[in-house]
Amino acid sequence: MASLRGMTQRHDGRAPDETREVRITRNWLDHAEGSVLVEFGRTRVLCAASFTEGVPRWLKGKGAGWVTAEYAMLPRATNTRSDRESVKGRIGGRTHEISRLIGRSLRAVIDTKALGENTIVLDCDVLQADGGTRTAAITGAYVALVDAIEDARSRGLIGRNAKPLTGSVAAVSVGVVGGQPVLDLDYPEDSTAETDMNVVMTGDGRFVEVQGTAESEPFDRTLLDALLDLATRGCADLTTMQQAALADEVVA
Amino acid sequence: MASLRGMTQRHDGRAPDETREVRITRNWLDHAEGSVLVEFGRTRVLCAASFTEGVPRWLKGKGAGWVTAEYAMLPRATNTRSDRESVKGRIGGRTHEISRLIGRSLRAVIDTKALGENTIVLDCDVLQADGGTRTAAITGAYVALVDAIEDARSRGLIGRNAKPLTGSVAAVSVGVVGGQPVLDLDYPEDSTAETDMNVVMTGDGRFVEVQGTAESEPFDRTLLDALLDLATRGCADLTTMQQAALADEVVA
Amino acid sequence: MASLRGMTQRHDGRAPDETREVRITRNWLDHAEGSVLVEFGRTRVLCAASFTEGVPRWLKGKGAGWVTAEYAMLPRATNTRSDRESVKGRIGGRTHEISRLIGRSLRAVIDTKALGENTIVLDCDVLQADGGTRTAAITGAYVALVDAIEDARSRGLIGRNAKPLTGSVAAVSVGVVGGQPVLDLDYPEDSTAETDMNVVMTGDGRFVEVQGTAESEPFDRTLLDALLDLATRGCADLTTMQQAALADEVVA
Amino acid sequence: MASLRGMTQRHDGRAPDETREVRITRNWLDHAEGSVLVEFGRTRVLCAASFTEGVPRWLKGKGAGWVTAEYAMLPRATNTRSDRESVKGRIGGRTHEISRLIGRSLRAVIDTKALGENTIVLDCDVLQADGGTRTAAITGAYVALVDAIEDARSRGLIGRNAKPLTGSVAAVSVGVVGGQPVLDLDYPEDSTAETDMNVVMTGDGRFVEVQGTAESEPFDRTLLDALLDLATRGCADLTTMQQAALADEVVA
Amino acid sequence: MASLRGMTQRHDGRAPDETREVRITRNWLDHAEGSVLVEFGRTRVLCAASFTEGVPRWLKGKGAGWVTAEYAMLPRATNTRSDRESVKGRIGGRTHEISRLIGRSLRAVIDTKALGENTIVLDCDVLQADGGTRTAAITGAYVALVDAIEDARSRGLIGRNAKPLTGSVAAVSVGVVGGQPVLDLDYPEDSTAETDMNVVMTGDGRFVEVQGTAESEPFDRTLLDALLDLATRGCADLTTMQQAALADEVVA
Amino acid sequence: MASLRGMTQRHDGRAPDETREVRITRNWLDHAEGSVLVEFGRTRVLCAASFTEGVPRWLKGKGAGWVTAEYAMLPRATNTRSDRESVKGRIGGRTHEISRLIGRSLRAVIDTKALGENTIVLDCDVLQADGGTRTAAITGAYVALVDAIEDARSRGLIGRNAKPLTGSVAAVSVGVVGGQPVLDLDYPEDSTAETDMNVVMTGDGRFVEVQGTAESEPFDRTLLDALLDLATRGCADLTTMQQAALADEVVA
């Protein structure tokens, strides 16, 4: 990756393999079992983990729990106001797609048997959007998920030695901007990228999701490999930040 | 009012005629023309004012502008998670009712002719709820509205000397808890109140909205008068805080 | 109030503190447990009370009943036809708000424990609208409610000595038209009123709901007091008419 | 038909070829251009005709008008309360089907060119249902339609000599109850009928719609012929009543 | 009927009492318990019968089964693309009406008691439309229904000697085109027909449904009789074709 | 790839790098500008391309065209019947996601400027599902798209020398089943796969979309590389089949 550092600077001065400033604020809410305000630069997502006993009907009696997610954006998260999906009366395709992605990503590190018949819903509400909202959401939601599980453990809802988490998960976007592969695109970069890829990885460096899309020009295998390298590095950095955030003693 | 100060303390130590700690943080968002994070104790509402040129179809060509509001609550704003209205596919009656109240309250201090054919939408999203979300929303939205108007003026979208604002507006709840009239109820008080009233007033002490509801027992005229006195005092205090917030020099 | 009688006549010749001609026709429908066609001048609302055994799921097993209301307007109740909410696929904010108001108003005089685990739904359908539809609905629905309760008692569904009703309830609008406070506004008055207030009161003169809105100009405390006086008188008159209607022997 | 008179009496004492008592009350509403409260025994339908200048987009500029209908039932029109379609958020198949039938039936006697680019909407709201609501609706709506057209003519919206109506239309149900063909079924008959047929005919005795359904047993041609005879007689009777109602001088 | 053969040829060369070429392909799908691709000329409808144990809630415990149908059209079944009803979020009146017609038609030959507490859903999806889609759907769905019942019998879900089918059912359209009664209208005929009638009959020549509509001019009894004669003949022909299709040995 | 041929046979006897039998039937519909019935084994998708002049409002006046897609599944395409999305009143997340994927994939080989202000909608309706419906849809839709463009050219709606297509596109699924990477999974394989990836590629071997998901276990880079190799080979095979289908002279 070192070679990338020598290339053209990005519009905000970052190196190609550098994420934006990431801030993870735990316990941002008083009511939720776990909550995180995660910021990737100006992108700001509020992740609330709600732990409830019991599971959806289709899972009842199987001794396993459930983790799911709902993603949404406030109307004025973006540069121009968009209509509320509640007012339109239907959820858009993009919202559905991202909600499903976040849910799958978190379930990849969950042992639902160890969770017992309990449900955790992760609400990821974008307060401000500047590119990378889904990857910020996954990265922040993981931390909220950890806190919700520990909260449930402290209340005796999960066994003292149960290990519902089998690992950690983080996500980052990579893309090709002006011909150059870059990490963690902000909105100005995202809107001009030739290729855009979101990668979700576990803390031990394996892939959970790879979603690459050629925005203007189809990409070849060499470029795909370069993007995967970059994402691997970015997820490793984010994993470190998640661990640091979780290491802090937090007073609710 | 002084006599009230001698009465039984409230569960959080406040005097009967005392509001919770109020914080008004301007420019909490980067994109919106005006934005305020308003906090009444643990109640936290994000108010974003979006200014757009043009008006809804039914107003076109009349030389007047429009101000409207949309209120919503994040799923985990409350103690237990509630379903998203976007997922349910319809907006609930309470949401509609409060959105309409906020819109009417702000329009009470707007000269739509002076606004020109422009529209301002106030999005009031409750990030955390602990009672009084609609009154906090009105109080905060007024400040965001002022900022959006000044932003539009600075961009030449409103005339240099136009005065779209004819006054200021603030709102507070009052109620009877344990037989005693109190100001600015938090959730534990609100859920046990015998009577609940929301009062919206202008900065010069006149009424814009009075909405009183007997929750358990109908109330008589004497009690109604006491509640109106209390609300008058509370709105005056909030007006002072709005002015203080607006007096600050804010760097976007 | 006598002083008001000397003031300028209203457009239809009424004194400022005079309601329109009120007609309460019981048993207008053959199927409903209670039904009333209530008319406030040209405003005509059909109130049907449906009594069913059992309660909504969230109330089950608590030994208490439920009273709720649904308000709606026929498309051609108004001067120009409006679209059906069933065709639009969603209920408007105004409809929701009024339905909730009617339900709360009736519950204010219901002892749900004495009602037993039974539900009464009040359907208030506006056949013709000329101002004051919500207040006519509440006033008529109370009478239909009484009839439905007596019908249930006669069928043994409510105990012989049970007293589910703790009082009576009636409602009236008041407002400021041409600078003068007036009672029971019709549509021409309502559409030009500076201030509009709906007041719901019990038969013993206490307040259940007070909903005042400054339509053009915020109002001061003196005016608010005058309006409350006027409403108190109007509700007392309506209470008398309700009692007269209920005193009639009716053959179903 | 005479032979039918000797057969077993119906549960309400009617002869097999006898309609229920039919009442047609014109101008039941103050606002609508035409309005009729039509009663077939206890079935009570309010038909309001709304005349508006202009046509739906797909008809614009063709020099022709449009007539359409919307049918609905109040929740407590029936013996047990049914949920509102506005609350359910969608219109049921039965409602759609009947609305379309009424619209087609009325258009069968309309010369849309002579109507000019104007639209008439017939709202048929069932206030009380006791069988035959759709046939009552068509029969009443025709009268309301005549009144709306004359009202438009009097206001100069339709030419003095224009003849938008090419005839009259009425409708009746026929069916087989207890093996016997009968006319104008009420609810107790309708719910036990082996065959049910709705027939819409012009005043000059021609068919506009024939909709027959075998409820329990398929029917043969002989029976079909008997039902068509009965319907022909019933529609002729209803045509006479429509003419009588329209002959009355009505003061709006 | 022979006399009709001498009349003016139809646009596609058919005699007035001749159906289009009818093809009934059984087992067109691998998963469904019964499935038929039915073609009436260029009209092509895929009928899938799904057999499931159990009945809807309102039928539970009554020892009877249920048969229902859902009709739909692919967006590009027609000459110009129409919007999907799933995208519009609501089912149109025509779709509802035809689904209900198909369901009623099939239930006319079902003994629900003999079916046991089982449900059969007939999905009739129009892949290509050229007039007569509802009559093709009924004709094809009957064959799929037979196959689904035999499949259930072979799996022991229906008794060896149970006879859920009390007869067969087929449907055809008739109409008046250019003044001449004709059988099985294709789209060019249907769109110019003066009168249009759909007739559903049992294999033994009795009527299940008769739905006739005057498209331009009301029709008299003589014409109605001629159309019923024509439909009787057409349904008899279709019954023969259904029997032939069912006589084939089919390898799933 | 050769090495894979020596491995354990798949449940249907295919080699790991072998697709199912693929059939591409052009002009399956009479009305559509382009239409293909594409089959990947038992998976059967009907792709209809509708060409219309004009573009959506947001594209007007920019001199560019639009290509979009809608994916749906018939209720009985699957082993057990699923509810219609039109009946549920909302489109599911999976449907939205796949529709968007197909649209993006086709636009990757479209020069919208060369298309002119025209719109092509690709309706991909799954008649029968046995795994790989989205990849079959993309592969078939491309062929229908080509036909629709040539049809438009023949009617003079696209210039004689315009080249709206910049290449071809095909898609295939790959996954890990029983520890072994395999190509073009059918439903039994798909439902037990540890990893599932859909890959969309151009005819010249570049990537348009890569969507990989760890179903049970996160996957490492080596496995990801093996899957990408397999997909590359599969798309090349499908490209050849598309070319062969397009080379046939087809009589509409």
Side-chain angles (χ1 to χ4, degrees):
Chain A
M1 278 300 109
S3 62
L4 290 174
R5 294 203 180 269
M7 293 177 75
T8 321
Q9 260 201 352
R10 292 159 76 177
H11 80 103
D12 58 356
R14 281 190 282 155
D17 62 347
E18 199 179 347
T19 66
R20 290 171 283 179
E21 185 185 354
V22 172
R23 282 176 298 277
I24 297 176
T25 309
R26 284 163 69 200
N27 289 356
W28 203 78
L29 295 173
D30 295 314
H31 302 311
E33 283 71 36
S35 69
V36 160
L37 182 71
V38 61
E39 296 166 273
F40 278 29
R42 307 210 304 178
T43 287
R44 211 179 289 175
V45 184
L46 179 55
C47 306
S50 297
F51 186 102
T52 50
E53 297 177 73
V55 285
R57 193 175 312 172
W58 52 271
L59 253 185
K60 271 188 185 146
K62 303 195 175 162
W66 187 238
V67 171
T68 186
E70 290 187 9
Y71 167 95
M73 214 182 254
L74 292 195
R76 197 52 203 277
T78 43
N79 199 42
T80 56
R81 186 179 185 273
S82 34
D83 290 338
R84 285 176 193 271
E85 296 189 322
S86 60
V87 168
K88 288 189 285 187
R90 48 175 74 193
I91 289 181
R94 182 181 173 277
T95 299
H96 259 305
E97 198 167 324
I98 298 178
S99 294
R100 289 156 52 94
L101 169 67
I102 300 172
R104 281 199 312 272
S105 298
L106 296 173
R107 286 194 295 276
V109 294
I110 282 284
D111 174 351
T112 55
K113 290 285 178 190
L115 186 56
E117 291 212 354
N118 297 297
T119 298
I120 305 178
V121 180
L122 273 298
D123 285 293
C124 300
D125 286 271
V126 179
L127 306 185
Q128 188 163 281
D130 187 34
T133 59
R134 78 190 72 187
T135 51
I138 292 168
T139 304
Y142 167 73
V143 176
L145 177 65
V146 173
D147 279 340
I149 286 172
E150 290 316 309
D151 177 85
R153 195 191 305 280
S154 73
R155 290 186 290 142
L157 301 172
I158 287 182
R160 185 176 303 208
N161 300 314
K163 293 193 189 312
L165 283 166
T166 61
S168 75
V169 68
V172 79
S173 73
V174 287
V176 179
V177 178
Q180 175 175 296
V182 293
L183 181 68
D184 186 28
L185 289 67
D186 63 10
Y187 180 74
E189 290 177 328
D190 190 52
S191 57
T192 58
E194 291 107 64
T195 291
D196 181 28
M197 186 176 293
N198 291 293
V199 179
V200 185
M201 298 183 76
T202 53
D204 64 2
R206 287 179 300 154
F207 296 91
V208 170
E209 290 270 343
V210 174
Q211 297 197 336
T213 299
E215 296 293 340
S216 54
E217 193 67 12
F219 50 93
D220 62 20
R221 183 66 175 269
T222 309
L223 192 50
L224 174 53
D225 286 340
L227 290 171
L228 290 168
D229 290 344
L230 210 46
T232 302
R233 170 167 191 144
C235 284
D237 288 351
L238 291 166
T239 297
T240 305
M241 296 178 213
Q242 288 173 324
Q243 289 167 339
L246 285 164
D248 286 345
E249 198 62 46
V250 177
V251 184
Chain B
M1 277 298 110
S3 63
L4 289 174
R5 294 207 178 270
M7 294 176 75
T8 323
Q9 259 200 357
R10 293 158 77 177
H11 80 104
D12 59 355
R14 281 190 283 155
D17 63 346
E18 200 179 346
T19 66
R20 289 171 283 180
E21 186 184 354
V22 173
R23 280 177 298 279
I24 297 175
T25 308
R26 285 163 68 202
N27 289 355
W28 203 78
L29 296 172
D30 295 315
H31 302 311
E33 283 72 36
S35 71
V36 160
L37 181 72
V38 61
E39 295 166 273
F40 277 29
R42 307 210 305 179
T43 288
R44 210 179 287 173
V45 184
L46 178 55
C47 306
S50 298
F51 185 102
T52 49
E53 298 177 72
V55 285
R57 194 175 312 172
W58 52 270
L59 252 185
K60 269 184 187 150
K62 303 193 175 164
W66 187 238
V67 171
T68 187
E70 291 187 7
Y71 168 97
M73 213 181 254
L74 292 196
R76 197 53 202 278
T78 44
N79 200 41
T80 56
R81 186 179 185 276
S82 33
D83 289 339
R84 284 176 195 271
E85 297 190 320
S86 60
V87 169
K88 288 189 285 187
R90 47 175 76 191
I91 291 181
R94 181 182 174 277
T95 299
H96 260 304
E97 199 168 322
I98 298 178
S99 293
R100 288 157 51 95
L101 169 65
I102 300 172
R104 281 200 311 273
S105 298
L106 296 174
R107 285 193 297 273
V109 294
I110 282 284
D111 174 350
T112 55
K113 289 285 179 190
L115 186 57
E117 293 212 353
N118 296 298
T119 298
I120 305 178
V121 180
L122 274 296
D123 284 293
C124 300
D125 286 273
V126 179
L127 305 185
Q128 188 162 279
D130 187 33
T133 59
R134 80 190 72 187
T135 52
I138 292 168
T139 304
Y142 167 73
V143 177
L145 178 64
V146 172
D147 278 340
I149 287 171
E150 290 316 310
D151 178 85
R153 195 191 304 279
S154 73
R155 290 186 291 141
L157 302 172
I158 287 183
R160 185 176 302 206
N161 300 314
K163 294 193 189 312
L165 283 165
T166 62
S168 75
V169 69
V172 80
S173 73
V174 287
V176 179
V177 178
Q180 175 176 295
V182 293
L183 181 69
D184 187 27
L185 289 67
D186 64 10
Y187 181 74
E189 291 177 328
D190 189 53
S191 57
T192 59
E194 292 108 63
T195 291
D196 181 28
M197 187 176 294
N198 291 294
V199 178
V200 184
M201 297 183 76
T202 53
D204 63 3
R206 289 179 299 154
F207 295 92
V208 170
E209 290 269 342
V210 175
Q211 297 197 335
T213 298
E215 295 293 340
S216 54
E217 193 66 13
F219 51 94
D220 62 20
R221 183 67 174 269
T222 309
L223 192 50
L224 175 54
D225 286 339
L227 291 171
L228 291 168
D229 289 344
L230 210 46
T232 301
R233 172 168 189 143
C235 283
D237 289 353
L238 291 166
T239 298
T240 305
M241 296 179 214
Q242 287 172 324
Q243 288 166 340
L246 284 165
D248 286 347
E249 199 62 46
V250 178
V251 184
Chain C
M1 279 296 111
S3 63
L4 290 175
R5 293 202 182 274
M7 294 177 74
T8 321
Q9 261 201 351
R10 293 158 77 178
H11 79 103
D12 58 357
R14 282 190 282 154
D17 62 347
E18 200 180 344
T19 66
R20 290 172 282 179
E21 187 185 352
V22 172
R23 282 177 296 278
I24 296 175
T25 308
R26 285 163 67 201
N27 289 356
W28 203 79
L29 295 172
D30 295 315
H31 302 311
E33 284 71 36
S35 69
V36 160
L37 182 71
V38 61
E39 295 167 272
F40 278 28
R42 308 210 304 179
T43 287
R44 212 179 286 175
V45 183
L46 179 54
C47 306
S50 298
F51 185 101
T52 50
E53 299 177 72
V55 286
R57 193 175 313 172
W58 51 272
L59 253 184
K60 270 187 185 147
K62 303 194 175 163
W66 187 238
V67 172
T68 187
E70 290 187 9
Y71 167 97
M73 213 181 254
L74 292 195
R76 198 50 203 278
T78 43
N79 199 43
T80 55
R81 184 178 188 276
S82 33
D83 289 338
R84 286 176 192 271
E85 296 189 321
S86 60
V87 169
K88 287 189 286 187
R90 47 176 76 192
I91 290 181
R94 182 182 173 276
T95 299
H96 260 304
E97 197 168 325
I98 299 178
S99 294
R100 288 157 52 94
L101 170 66
I102 301 171
R104 280 199 312 271
S105 297
L106 297 173
R107 285 194 297 273
V109 294
I110 282 284
D111 174 352
T112 56
K113 289 283 178 192
L115 185 57
E117 291 212 354
N118 296 298
T119 298
I120 305 178
V121 179
L122 273 298
D123 284 293
C124 300
D125 285 273
V126 180
L127 305 185
Q128 188 162 280
D130 187 34
T133 59
R134 78 190 72 187
T135 52
I138 292 168
T139 304
Y142 168 72
V143 176
L145 178 64
V146 172
D147 278 341
I149 286 172
E150 290 316 309
D151 178 85
R153 195 191 305 281
S154 74
R155 290 186 290 141
L157 301 171
I158 287 182
R160 185 176 303 207
N161 300 314
K163 293 193 190 311
L165 282 166
T166 61
S168 75
V169 70
V172 79
S173 73
V174 286
V176 179
V177 178
Q180 176 176 293
V182 294
L183 182 67
D184 187 28
L185 289 67
D186 63 10
Y187 180 74
E189 291 177 327
D190 189 54
S191 57
T192 59
E194 291 107 64
T195 290
D196 180 29
M197 187 176 293
N198 291 294
V199 178
V200 185
M201 298 183 75
T202 54
D204 63 2
R206 288 179 300 155
F207 295 91
V208 170
E209 288 270 343
V210 174
Q211 296 197 336
T213 298
E215 296 291 341
S216 53
E217 193 67 9
F219 50 93
D220 62 21
R221 183 68 175 268
T222 308
L223 192 49
L224 174 55
D225 286 339
L227 291 171
L228 290 168
D229 289 342
L230 211 47
T232 301
R233 170 164 191 147
C235 284
D237 289 352
L238 291 166
T239 298
T240 304
M241 296 178 213
Q242 287 173 323
Q243 288 167 340
L246 284 165
D248 286 345
E249 199 61 46
V250 177
V251 184
Chain D
M1 280 296 110
S3 63
L4 290 174
R5 293 206 179 271
M7 294 177 73
T8 322
Q9 259 201 353
R10 293 158 77 178
H11 80 104
D12 59 356
R14 282 190 283 154
D17 63 346
E18 202 179 342
T19 65
R20 290 171 284 180
E21 187 184 352
V22 172
R23 281 177 298 277
I24 296 175
T25 307
R26 285 163 67 202
N27 289 354
W28 203 78
L29 295 173
D30 295 315
H31 302 311
E33 283 72 37
S35 69
V36 160
L37 182 72
V38 61
E39 296 167 271
F40 277 28
R42 308 210 304 178
T43 287
R44 211 179 287 173
V45 184
L46 178 55
C47 306
S50 298
F51 185 102
T52 48
E53 297 177 72
V55 285
R57 194 175 313 174
W58 51 273
L59 253 184
K60 269 185 188 150
K62 302 193 176 164
W66 187 238
V67 172
T68 188
E70 291 187 9
Y71 167 96
M73 214 181 253
L74 292 196
R76 198 53 202 278
T78 44
N79 199 42
T80 54
R81 184 178 187 276
S82 33
D83 289 339
R84 284 176 195 271
E85 297 189 321
S86 60
V87 169
K88 288 189 284 187
R90 47 175 77 191
I91 291 181
R94 182 182 174 276
T95 298
H96 260 304
E97 199 168 323
I98 299 178
S99 293
R100 287 156 53 94
L101 170 66
I102 300 172
R104 281 199 311 271
S105 298
L106 297 174
R107 285 194 296 273
V109 295
I110 282 284
D111 174 351
T112 55
K113 289 284 180 189
L115 186 57
E117 292 213 353
N118 297 298
T119 298
I120 305 178
V121 180
L122 274 298
D123 285 292
C124 299
D125 285 273
V126 180
L127 305 185
Q128 188 162 279
D130 187 36
T133 59
R134 79 190 73 186
T135 52
I138 291 168
T139 303
Y142 168 72
V143 177
L145 178 64
V146 173
D147 278 341
I149 286 172
E150 290 316 309
D151 178 85
R153 196 191 304 281
S154 74
R155 289 185 291 141
L157 301 172
I158 288 182
R160 185 177 302 208
N161 300 314
K163 294 193 189 310
L165 283 165
T166 62
S168 75
V169 70
V172 79
S173 73
V174 287
V176 179
V177 178
Q180 176 176 293
V182 293
L183 181 68
D184 186 26
L185 289 68
D186 64 10
Y187 181 74
E189 291 177 327
D190 189 54
S191 58
T192 59
E194 292 109 62
T195 290
D196 181 29
M197 187 176 293
N198 291 294
V199 178
V200 185
M201 297 183 76
T202 54
D204 63 2
R206 289 180 298 155
F207 296 91
V208 170
E209 288 269 342
V210 175
Q211 296 198 335
T213 298
E215 295 293 340
S216 53
E217 193 67 10
F219 50 93
D220 62 20
R221 183 66 175 268
T222 308
L223 192 51
L224 174 55
D225 286 340
L227 291 171
L228 291 169
D229 289 344
L230 210 46
T232 301
R233 173 169 188 141
C235 284
D237 289 351
L238 290 167
T239 297
T240 305
M241 296 178 214
Q242 287 173 323
Q243 288 166 341
L246 284 165
D248 286 346
E249 198 61 46
V250 177
V251 183
Chain E
M1 279 299 111
S3 62
L4 290 175
R5 294 204 178 273
M7 293 177 75
T8 322
Q9 261 201 352
R10 292 159 77 178
H11 80 104
D12 58 356
R14 282 190 281 156
D17 62 347
E18 200 179 345
T19 66
R20 289 171 282 180
E21 187 185 353
V22 172
R23 282 176 299 276
I24 296 175
T25 309
R26 284 163 68 202
N27 289 357
W28 204 78
L29 295 173
D30 296 313
H31 302 311
E33 283 72 36
S35 70
V36 161
L37 181 72
V38 61
E39 295 166 271
F40 278 29
R42 306 209 306 178
T43 287
R44 211 178 288 174
V45 184
L46 179 54
C47 306
S50 297
F51 186 101
T52 49
E53 298 177 72
V55 286
R57 195 176 310 173
W58 52 271
L59 253 185
K60 269 185 188 151
K62 303 194 175 162
W66 187 238
V67 171
T68 187
E70 290 187 9
Y71 167 96
M73 213 181 254
L74 292 196
R76 197 52 202 278
T78 43
N79 200 42
T80 55
R81 186 177 186 275
S82 34
D83 290 337
R84 285 175 193 272
E85 296 188 322
S86 59
V87 169
K88 288 189 285 187
R90 48 176 73 193
I91 290 181
R94 181 183 173 277
T95 299
H96 260 304
E97 199 168 322
I98 299 178
S99 294
R100 288 156 53 94
L101 170 66
I102 301 172
R104 280 201 311 272
S105 298
L106 297 174
R107 285 193 296 274
V109 294
I110 281 285
D111 175 352
T112 55
K113 288 285 179 191
L115 186 57
E117 291 211 354
N118 296 298
T119 297
I120 305 179
V121 180
L122 273 298
D123 285 293
C124 300
D125 285 273
V126 180
L127 305 185
Q128 187 161 280
D130 187 35
T133 60
R134 78 189 73 187
T135 52
I138 291 168
T139 303
Y142 167 73
V143 176
L145 178 63
V146 172
D147 279 341
I149 287 171
E150 290 317 309
D151 178 86
R153 195 191 305 281
S154 73
R155 289 186 292 141
L157 301 172
I158 287 181
R160 185 176 302 206
N161 300 314
K163 292 193 189 312
L165 282 166
T166 62
S168 75
V169 69
V172 79
S173 72
V174 287
V176 179
V177 178
Q180 175 176 295
V182 293
L183 181 69
D184 186 28
L185 290 66
D186 64 10
Y187 180 74
E189 291 176 328
D190 190 53
S191 57
T192 59
E194 292 106 64
T195 292
D196 181 28
M197 187 176 291
N198 291 294
V199 179
V200 185
M201 298 183 75
T202 54
D204 63 3
R206 288 179 299 154
F207 295 92
V208 170
E209 290 269 342
V210 175
Q211 296 197 337
T213 298
E215 295 292 340
S216 53
E217 194 65 12
F219 50 94
D220 62 21
R221 183 66 174 268
T222 309
L223 192 49
L224 174 54
D225 286 339
L227 291 172
L228 291 168
D229 290 343
L230 211 46
T232 302
R233 171 167 190 146
C235 283
D237 288 351
L238 291 167
T239 297
T240 305
M241 296 178 213
Q242 287 173 324
Q243 289 167 339
L246 284 164
D248 286 345
E249 199 61 47
V250 177
V251 184
Chain F
M1 278 298 111
S3 62
L4 290 175
R5 294 206 179 270
M7 294 177 75
T8 322
Q9 260 200 352
R10 293 159 76 177
H11 80 105
D12 58 357
R14 280 191 283 156
D17 63 346
E18 201 180 343
T19 66
R20 290 171 284 180
E21 186 184 354
V22 172
R23 281 176 299 278
I24 296 175
T25 309
R26 284 163 68 201
N27 288 355
W28 202 79
L29 295 172
D30 295 315
H31 302 311
E33 283 72 37
S35 69
V36 160
L37 181 71
V38 61
E39 296 166 273
F40 277 30
R42 308 210 305 178
T43 287
R44 210 179 288 172
V45 184
L46 179 54
C47 306
S50 298
F51 185 101
T52 49
E53 297 177 73
V55 285
R57 193 175 313 173
W58 51 271
L59 252 185
K60 268 183 189 151
K62 302 193 176 165
W66 187 238
V67 171
T68 185
E70 290 187 9
Y71 167 97
M73 215 182 252
L74 292 195
R76 197 52 202 279
T78 44
N79 199 42
T80 55
R81 184 178 186 275
S82 34
D83 289 339
R84 283 176 195 272
E85 297 189 321
S86 60
V87 169
K88 288 189 285 187
R90 49 175 76 191
I91 290 180
R94 181 182 174 278
T95 299
H96 259 304
E97 197 167 324
I98 299 179
S99 294
R100 288 157 52 95
L101 170 66
I102 301 172
R104 280 199 311 271
S105 298
L106 295 174
R107 285 194 296 274
V109 294
I110 282 285
D111 174 350
T112 56
K113 289 285 179 188
L115 186 57
E117 291 212 354
N118 296 297
T119 298
I120 305 179
V121 179
L122 274 297
D123 285 292
C124 300
D125 286 90
V126 180
L127 305 185
Q128 188 163 278
D130 186 36
T133 60
R134 79 190 71 186
T135 52
I138 292 167
T139 304
Y142 167 73
V143 176
L145 178 65
V146 172
D147 278 342
I149 286 171
E150 290 315 310
D151 177 85
R153 195 191 305 280
S154 74
R155 290 187 290 142
L157 302 172
I158 287 182
R160 186 177 301 207
N161 300 313
K163 294 194 188 311
L165 284 165
T166 61
S168 75
V169 69
V172 79
S173 72
V174 288
V176 179
V177 178
Q180 175 175 294
V182 294
L183 181 68
D184 186 27
L185 289 66
D186 63 10
Y187 180 74
E189 291 176 328
D190 189 53
S191 57
T192 58
E194 291 109 63
T195 290
D196 181 28
M197 187 176 294
N198 291 294
V199 178
V200 185
M201 297 183 76
T202 53
D204 64 1
R206 289 179 299 154
F207 296 92
V208 170
E209 289 270 342
V210 175
Q211 297 197 335
T213 298
E215 296 292 340
S216 53
E217 193 67 11
F219 50 93
D220 61 20
R221 183 67 174 269
T222 309
L223 192 49
L224 175 54
D225 285 340
L227 291 171
L228 291 169
D229 289 344
L230 211 45
T232 301
R233 171 166 189 146
C235 284
D237 289 352
L238 291 166
T239 298
T240 304
M241 296 179 215
Q242 288 173 325
Q243 288 166 340
L246 284 165
D248 286 346
E249 198 62 47
V250 178
V251 183

